[in-house]
DNA sequence: TCGAGGGTTCTATTATATTAGAAATATGGA
DNA sequence: TCCATATTTCTAATATAATAGAACCCTCGA
């Protein structure tokens, strides 16, 4: 994942509405939810939710799944994982990690 | 970690200069680096680096460590871990995770 | 106490993002 | 075909962030 894409993803998540939508979809699972349902659950105007979903989609964090006149949106777990990996990789030059980045280590050790 | 703080952290990272600084400090380890050294390595004007370091500090992602007339900055690994945990927690309602979020699972299983 | 080095703050300019509301597109059923 | 539903696109107003440069503050050593 390139820097540009990473910044796009972080930027997309750095907003109350979009972070809320993303978390909703992460918890929801791969089936996703239709745009209208997302807007309703997050209490957003449809146009506004659509705008934010587009941003998330462009950042690769969610993907649209058309189904008749509904458009389902689902979290893109690969992007999420790439992002998390990028943020935490190579920490502490491999040295003092056991102290400083203990939780990271715990995650990384399988 | 509250939503406001999370958005602050994501927002702080969603910028080329700041992401670069943060990654530099994550790799550097808990001793950190002095502000001038950070500016030099990231090829930033001092005033500009100072501005971005302040943003990162306010977001809790780095912390200043004064040492004489130097100010060292070090990554705050706790915030990094909180952020990563928040983004990935409760995914897929605990159900289909083995397929969709495999890497997340791998990280979480100790 | 004075000067240099190391950082930060202030100001103004420019660029970018967010929001709401209206209009537009597309699908499926009567 | 026509209408209602589901969603997106457009437009304009408003708010927020990034940058450069100048001025400022603090610490150390002569």
């Amino acid at each position: 994942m390139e820097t540009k894409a990473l910044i796009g993803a972080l930027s997309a998540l750095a907003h109350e509405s979009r972070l809320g939508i993303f978390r909703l979809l992460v918890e929801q699972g791969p089936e996703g939810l239709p745009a209208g349902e997302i807007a309703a659950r997050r209490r957003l105007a449809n146009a506004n939710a659509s705008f934010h979903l587009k941003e998330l989609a462009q950042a690769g964090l969610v993907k649209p799944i058309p189904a008749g006149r509904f458009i389902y949106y689902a979290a893109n777990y690969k992007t999420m994982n790439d992002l998390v990996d990028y943020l935490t990789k190579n920490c502490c030059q491999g040295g003092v990690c056991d102290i400083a980045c203990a939780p990271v280590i715990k995650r990384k050790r399988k």
Side-chain angles (χ1 to χ4, degrees), chain A:
Chain A
M1 202 171 179
E2 289 169 29
T3 306
K4 276 261 182 181
L6 286 158
I7 289 167
L10 287 163
S11 189
L13 291 173
H15 186 283
E16 189 180 5
S17 301
R18 290 192 295 264
L19 183 59
I21 290 173
F22 179 71
R23 283 295 308 158
L24 173 64
L25 294 180
V26 165
E27 296 194 346
Q28 181 63 29
E31 325 80 35
L33 288 171
E37 176 73 15
I38 294 169
R41 290 219 205 166
R42 302 302 314 166
R43 306 231 172 90
L44 296 169
N46 281 2
N48 198 8
S50 181
F51 168 78
H52 290 306
L53 282 166
K54 197 175 91 180
E55 299 268 304
L56 286 167
Q58 278 175 346
L61 285 163
V62 306
K63 53 195 165 195
I65 306 169
R69 51 183 164 163
F70 293 83
I71 300 183
Y72 282 73
Y73 282 89
N76 186 345
Y77 296 98
K78 176 166 188 337
T79 303
M80 180 180 83
N81 287 317
D82 285 353
L83 179 58
V84 166
D85 288 346
Y86 178 84
L87 288 179
T88 57
K89 75 182 174 187
N90 298 336
C91 57
C92 301
Q93 312 172 82
V96 284
C97 243
D98 290 338
I99 298 144
C101 336
V104 175
I105 282 272
K106 217 161 79 181
R107 262 197 309 275
K108 295 219 163 171
R109 279 186 195 144
K110 254 181 273 54

